[in-house]
Amino acid sequence: MEDERRATGRWIYRAVAVWFLLVFWAMVWPGYLPFARIRPFVLGMPFSLFYYACVLVASFAVLFALYRWEVSRGLSGEDDDG
Amino acid sequence: MADWVVVLLVTLAYLGLSLAVGLLSGRRASQGAVGYVAGDRALGFVVLYFVLGASIFSAFAFLGGPGWAYSRGAAAFYIIAYGTIGLAPWFWFGPKVARLGRRFGYVTQAELFADRFESRTLSALLAVVSLVAFVPYLTLQMKGAGYVFSVVTEGRIPIWAGAAIAYGVVLVYVFHSGILGVAWTNTLQGMFMMVLAWTFGLYLPWKLYGGVGAMFEALAAARPELLTPPGLDAAGRPWTWGAYTSAVAVSAIGFSLWPHYFMKIYTARDIRTLKRSIVFYPTFQIFLLPILFIGFAGVLRYPGVVPADAILPTILTSLDLPAVVVGLFCAGALAASMSTGDALVHAAASILVRDGYKTLWRPDLEAGREAKLIRRLVILIAAVAYAFAVASEISLVKLLLLSYGFVAQIAPLLLATFLWRRATRPGALAGFVAGCAVVVALNLRPEWQLLDLHPGVWGVAVNLLVGTLVSLVTEPPSAERVATFVDA
């Protein structure tokens, strides 16, 4: 049971690391190319800027979800400091 | 009362408030170096959140950010890109650094690496690199503060006097209160910056074009090249994807490793507080959107503003706004400058004493005496940066580019500390020195740069290669010692 929990934990941390590598790729060449255009305008912004705002919000959501998951499992480190 | 007097009074009132907050906050810290440098490792979530937000957004946010959007268009989006990924690695290594800091008493970045690699030379090298990186950065903050005073008082307060007033206040509260002065004033300054950025960023497009959407529609019709990524370079020609991508990469690496920023990890009350502050950091960072809107608002209505960094003060002083509003802008820009400048002064003095003087010559330095020495160096460093700000003709932007290249060379040290058990002292030293040498060489000889990539990227590549090879041919470190760090 404990092994299974650890394996799930490792899988989640690896997925988050891969997510941030993908985010880097998606914000520079060549991942950004399909989105690096002016139209359509969304919320008044050029599409390229709106896309960046979405990636920022999504990255916040991913890290927030990881943090909440850690808290729910008692892994957020609340009891490991002095 | 003349408008400029009202502006000045509002600004001075803000400075007075910063000073009061800075002085009052320091009363709770202990007298030793851990109190002065790391706030007794007791910062809570709200304060740490604003410290992380405000101390990275400098004078650049209110002047340089709009200036980039105004003159280079979509190139300015790179600031959002590197900020999105820049702090995420802290979620992984921040808790390890904080735990080791508590266990071994670290308060600076170099103490961690010097201990892992058992090298006083590395500590001294990092102290030198930090200082070389900090002084131009700090000097730019001072110039920014002086510039704001000069513009809004229509030249009645020259740049040298404006910088002296703002940084006189910084000096007093950093000297008196150390990191707690920095932290609590950053909280005030961070709130102020956020409110003003959103207010100006939404108000100016509305006032000048009828809204954000109308502004971008007008820009897309008149200047499509400005809105198309990767935007323009400093000369107004299309920027290359190589330069854009490597600027994002080097800035993202440097973001979490700037020594003055890294040191804030040690100030967290506990691991949970640290992680929460990291998670919520993007809610601060999103304020870059209105900052960029401000710059774009100036493009069609105020063409030809030179330097481009003057676009926001130019718009504000031309719009016939109430003097109180202009005064609030002035205070906001000072907040941005001071919230980074104070952290730099404080960190530079702490690093010079802890990683330089104490490590090399006086390991037995008593804690109270150490804090006193750091305070003296706060004055000295502020004075040196001020002299550069008012008297130097050296290109600070060039030095700052060098700084980012140097700071990126810390990344392989971090990876080696926490991930690679085989990394050795000679490997770490050789890699770091080789990486810095590449950065210097490519800055001196830009024609050697390949693919238009930032020198820092080539520096990191050489750093990793040399560090790995030298580590593999030198004697492995003690497994027990390495485990302390890798398994932290």
Side-chain angles (χ1 to χ4, degrees):
Chain A
M1 188 67 183
E2 189 56 31
D3 284 351
E4 201 175 307
R5 264 182 63 157
R6 271 202 204 125
T8 312
R10 266 201 298 273
W11 179 86
I12 288 175
Y13 286 117
R14 278 182 196 155
V16 172
V18 170
W19 162 263
F20 277 100
L21 287 175
L22 281 175
V23 163
F24 173 71
W25 178 80
M27 298 187 100
V28 297
W29 183 91
Y32 185 32
L33 286 180
F35 310 96
R37 50 199 164 89
I38 300 174
R39 293 178 197 281
F41 284 92
V42 188
L43 297 175
M45 292 183 277
F47 190 71
S48 52
L49 186 56
F50 169 74
Y51 167 76
Y52 266 12
C54 286
V55 176
L56 176 68
V57 172
S59 296
F60 164 64
V62 165
L63 217 49
F64 182 73
L66 177 65
Y67 174 72
R68 290 304 309 166
W69 174 81
E70 282 192 347
V71 171
S72 71
R73 297 285 177 106
L75 298 169
S76 63
E78 61 266 43
D79 50 350
D80 61 354
D81 53 85
Chain B
M1 199 184 293
D3 277 0
W4 72 270
V5 178
V6 178
V7 171
L8 192 60
L9 287 177
V10 172
T11 310
L12 292 177
Y14 171 76
L15 285 177
L17 184 61
S18 289
L19 186 62
V21 169
L23 290 178
L24 288 173
S25 59
R27 294 189 304 182
R28 290 177 303 151
S30 66
Q31 291 304 304
V34 175
Y36 191 79
V37 181
D40 296 320
R41 308 184 200 277
L43 295 194
F45 168 64
V46 174
V47 176
L48 194 57
Y49 169 80
F50 280 105
V51 167
L52 295 186
S55 63
I56 203 78
F57 289 112
S58 55
F60 181 79
F62 268 72
L63 300 172
W68 263 66
Y70 175 76
S71 61
R72 302 182 59 172
F77 298 170
Y78 100 96
I79 306 166
I80 297 179
Y82 77 73
T84 301
I85 43 179
L87 206 58
W90 271 35
F91 199 88
W92 164 64
F93 72 74
K96 290 172 182 279
V97 173
R99 273 193 284 270
L100 289 165
R102 278 173 194 276
R103 191 165 159 199
F104 297 113
Y106 309 144
V107 291
T108 69
Q109 185 185 57
E111 284 171 328
L112 168 74
F113 298 132
D115 208 12
R116 158 68 175 86
F117 296 105
E118 298 175 272
S119 169
R120 289 192 301 171
T121 312
L122 187 60
S123 175
L125 273 176
L126 284 165
V128 170
V129 164
S130 301
L131 204 65
V132 169
F134 283 179
V135 168
Y137 199 7
L138 179 58
T139 302
L140 279 176
Q141 306 310 316
M142 288 186 172
K143 278 194 167 176
Y147 186 70
V148 168
F149 266 105
S150 168
V151 171
V152 296
T153 61
E154 297 155 18
R156 288 179 180 88
I157 295 186
I159 288 178
W160 65 265
I165 294 167
Y167 277 81
V169 169
V170 167
L171 193 58
V172 171
Y173 71 69
V174 173
F175 183 88
H176 179 268
S177 305
I179 189 65
L180 288 187
V182 172
W184 281 97
T185 52
N186 276 195
T187 305
L188 171 73
Q189 289 155 345
M191 288 180 190
F192 211 69
M193 283 159 66
M194 267 178 142
V195 171
L196 286 179
W198 281 105
T199 306
F200 286 130
L202 297 178
Y203 173 74
L204 294 178
W206 173 79
K207 173 83 177 165
L208 295 170
Y209 300 86
V212 172
M215 174 182 78
F216 280 119
E217 287 280 4
L219 267 171
R223 297 282 308 275
E225 80 287 359
L226 204 64
L227 284 190
T228 309
L232 308 176
D233 67 10
R237 293 182 300 256
W239 211 16
T240 63
W241 278 112
Y244 184 91
T245 301
S246 59
V248 173
V250 168
S251 305
I253 294 169
F255 188 95
S256 58
L257 292 173
W258 271 89
H260 70 291
Y261 204 55
F262 189 98
M263 284 165 67
K264 302 301 180 287
I265 294 173
Y266 299 121
T267 64
R269 181 194 295 155
D270 51 43
I271 304 296
R272 196 167 179 170
T273 301
L274 178 67
K275 283 189 172 175
R276 250 200 309 168
S277 309
I278 296 164
V279 168
F280 280 93
Y281 168 77
T283 60
F284 195 101
Q285 210 227 345
I286 197 96
F287 100 131
L288 281 172
L289 284 179
I291 288 280
L292 298 185
F293 294 168
I294 294 169
F296 283 119
V299 175
L300 298 179
R301 297 286 186 269
Y302 299 88
V305 172
V306 178
D309 292 357
I311 187 60
L312 177 54
T314 303
I315 297 176
L316 290 179
T317 47
S318 72
L319 275 185
D320 230 11
L321 293 167
V324 172
V325 176
V326 180
L328 286 174
F329 151 71
C330 192
L334 286 184
S337 157
M338 291 161 69
S339 59
T340 299
D342 57 8
L344 287 168
V345 172
H346 172 265
S350 309
I351 287 169
L352 268 186
V353 171
R354 299 276 300 194
D355 305 335
Y357 180 70
K358 186 178 176 186
T359 303
L360 294 180
W361 294 293
R362 289 289 306 277
D364 57 339
L365 190 63
E366 183 261 323
R369 170 112 187 81
E370 188 181 337
K372 264 189 202 159
L373 199 57
I374 295 173
R375 282 192 165 93
R376 284 184 199 153
L377 275 177
V378 162
I379 299 175
L380 181 71
I381 285 160
V384 169
Y386 181 72
F388 272 113
V390 298
S392 163
E393 294 301 318
I394 296 172
S395 167
L396 290 172
V397 175
K398 275 192 179 167
L399 280 180
L400 203 58
L401 282 176
L402 202 65
S403 304
Y404 268 96
F406 280 155
V407 172
Q409 304 316 311
I410 299 169
L413 287 178
L414 182 90
L415 295 176
T417 296
F418 291 125
L419 286 179
W420 199 35
R421 290 173 199 270
R422 186 67 180 76
T424 66
R425 173 173 47 194
L429 277 170
F432 186 72
V433 171
C436 288
V438 169
V439 171
V440 172
L442 292 181
N443 272 282
L444 290 175
R445 291 295 182 97
E447 67 272 18
W448 291 351
Q449 255 167 257
L450 295 173
L451 306 173
D452 207 19
L453 295 183
H454 192 290
V457 171
W458 293 115
V460 169
V462 171
N463 186 336
L464 284 170
L465 183 69
V466 171
T468 306
L469 290 177
V470 174
S471 288
L472 288 175
V473 297
T474 45
E475 197 182 327
S478 124
E480 194 185 343
R481 177 167 202 84
V482 171
T484 308
F485 295 87
V486 177
D487 303 329

